[in-house]
Amino acid sequence: MSFMANVTAGKLETLSRNIVFGLSGVGKSTLFENEEGAIFIDPSGGSDRLDVARYQPEDGWSWAALMRALDELTVEEHPYTLLVIDELGVFESLLWEKQCADHGKNSIEDWNYYKGYTIALRSWQALLDKLDLLREKMGVTLLCHATQKVFKNPMGEDYDRYTLALEQKAANKLKGWADNVLFARFDDTIVQKNGGRSIGMTGARVLETTYDAAWDAKSRDRLPPQLPLDWAAFKEAVERGEHDDPKEIVGQVEELFSRMSKDDVSTAKKLLKKYAGKPDKLYQTLNWASKQATPGQEQETE
């Protein structure tokens, strides 16, 4: 058969692969409390106080039990449409436990030259392969804690940023696999009181969808740069993302003008004119403008 006989064109409709990460207490598990069709794999107990469906193996959780659960969800008939794994750090520990037992080691650090973590990537890949098979019948969302790590900046000084609380190679593999990596956080605002003393004010809970110097995030679904911490809002944004009218994106940028400096507004207007009718470029402009806008503070603009 020729090469061209195997070529197809057009957009593929697939169920999304998502990772949601954030600090403890921000509400990652509660995102799905009202999501009909969701089922949790939850060895950490993050969903204990939620009225949700859970899968619990008779012999307790292990890496092998996770893999069996995915096989069962893939081949058996069930009413569930979304799998939520809560959370990845627990299963990383279970993976290391199994790997050490299989190789007669006491710790993942017992391998020389970081080899133990490299071996673990094979198991992570096997997990992702099973999740991709499962994704033919249901969506997949993986939850993970966040941690601050130093970003080695080749262009200047190093700085701290939020990323997945996993071993770095595993984190990179999982982020590459996911369609959306979403950072859940409180949208804190810094305000100045009389006398110039700055204080932090806790804001609304949000999902960050785009890369920032302060956190990992990405989206293949062309999402707005920030969404409320609400799964219904996320699904709505995914559904309409590919169909947004360029005029609507321009309107979202213009709404930010009152919270941007005059110079940034001038730059934004030039970009809007340059990229008129090009949704991808306009989304980039929206992402940039959202980072320039000062939360809760209006500027005088012309």
Side-chain angles (χ1 to χ4, degrees):
M1 184 176 293
S2 69
F3 173 83
M4 291 303 298
N6 292 299
V7 174
T8 61
K11 178 182 173 182
L12 298 177
E13 296 295 337
T14 57
L15 297 171
S16 64
R17 305 171 289 195
N18 307 302
I19 295 175
V20 178
F21 76 107
L23 297 175
S24 297
V26 72
K28 299 183 294 294
S29 301
T30 56
L31 257 177
F32 309 95
E33 184 173 16
N34 299 314
E35 180 62 21
E36 185 176 353
I39 183 168
F40 274 70
I41 285 180
D42 178 22
S44 61
S47 68
D48 284 357
R49 288 175 171 78
L50 305 179
D51 184 13
V52 296
R54 298 175 195 83
Y55 177 97
Q56 181 65 40
E58 294 180 359
D59 54 350
W61 281 111
S62 64
W63 184 261
L66 171 63
M67 302 297 267
R68 287 197 305 271
L70 298 181
D71 288 338
E72 292 168 6
L73 282 168
T74 300
V75 301
E76 294 182 10
E77 294 296 324
H78 56 74
Y80 305 111
T81 57
L82 174 66
L83 172 65
V84 181
I85 296 181
D86 187 4
E87 60 86 36
L88 289 173
V90 174
F91 283 111
E92 180 174 61
S93 296
L94 293 174
L95 167 57
W96 291 350
E97 181 181 301
K98 178 182 183 301
Q99 181 174 314
C100 288
D102 290 345
H103 291 83
K105 304 285 188 180
N106 294 318
S107 166
I108 193 71
E109 297 283 352
D110 287 352
W111 278 271
N112 293 328
Y113 307 111
Y114 216 66
K115 186 177 179 181
Y117 300 107
T118 301
I119 293 172
L121 292 180
R122 303 171 192 167
S123 295
W124 282 116
Q125 186 59 57
L127 170 69
L128 298 181
D129 290 343
K130 286 184 181 294
L131 290 175
D132 279 336
L133 285 175
L134 176 62
R135 201 164 55 99
E136 295 179 5
K137 63 191 300 186
M138 60 191 305
V140 175
T141 296
L142 313 178
L143 305 186
C144 189
H145 292 314
T147 188
Q148 283 183 289
K149 292 185 178 180
V150 176
F151 177 75
K152 299 295 184 180
N153 181 15
M155 305 299 292
E157 294 184 7
D158 297 342
Y159 53 88
D160 289 345
R161 65 197 310 269
Y162 286 109
T163 187
L164 306 184
L166 298 171
E167 186 276 320
Q168 190 61 55
K169 290 184 179 181
N172 289 341
K173 177 174 281 291
L174 288 159
K175 288 185 293 185
W177 167 84
D179 296 316
N180 301 293
V181 178
L182 311 171
F183 177 52
R185 71 179 186 96
F186 291 100
D187 191 13
D188 297 336
T189 301
I190 304 299
V191 298
Q192 284 192 333
K193 302 194 75 172
N194 291 338
R197 179 171 172 264
S198 295
I199 61 172
M201 303 291 289
T202 299
R205 297 182 301 168
V206 298
L207 285 172
E208 301 289 352
T209 72
T210 59
Y211 180 90
D212 188 270
W215 55 73
D216 276 332
K218 74 170 191 179
S219 174
R220 293 174 182 156
D221 287 314
R222 211 168 68 185
L223 298 172
Q226 188 182 90
L227 291 167
L229 192 67
D230 179 85
W231 199 244
F234 167 76
K235 291 197 302 181
E236 179 183 354
V238 170
E239 184 176 345
R240 70 188 179 94
E242 292 294 337
H243 307 288
D244 272 351
D245 188 330
K247 292 181 180 179
E248 182 178 340
I249 306 173
V250 170
Q252 291 176 318
V253 176
E254 291 175 341
E255 287 176 2
L256 297 171
F257 284 178
S258 64
R259 294 190 282 117
M260 295 168 61
S261 70
K262 291 182 178 180
D263 287 344
D264 286 339
V265 170
S266 176
T267 299
K269 288 180 178 179
K270 292 176 182 177
L271 292 172
L272 293 179
K273 182 177 180 180
K274 179 179 179 180
Y275 297 135
K278 299 179 180 179
D280 289 339
K281 294 295 185 180
L282 290 174
Y283 261 111
Q284 292 178 12
T285 302
L286 175 59
N287 291 341
W288 172 82
S290 68
K291 292 181 175 69
Q292 312 313 311
T294 304
Q297 181 176 337
E298 293 192 354
Q299 312 284 347
E300 291 185 5
T301 57
E302 295 180 354

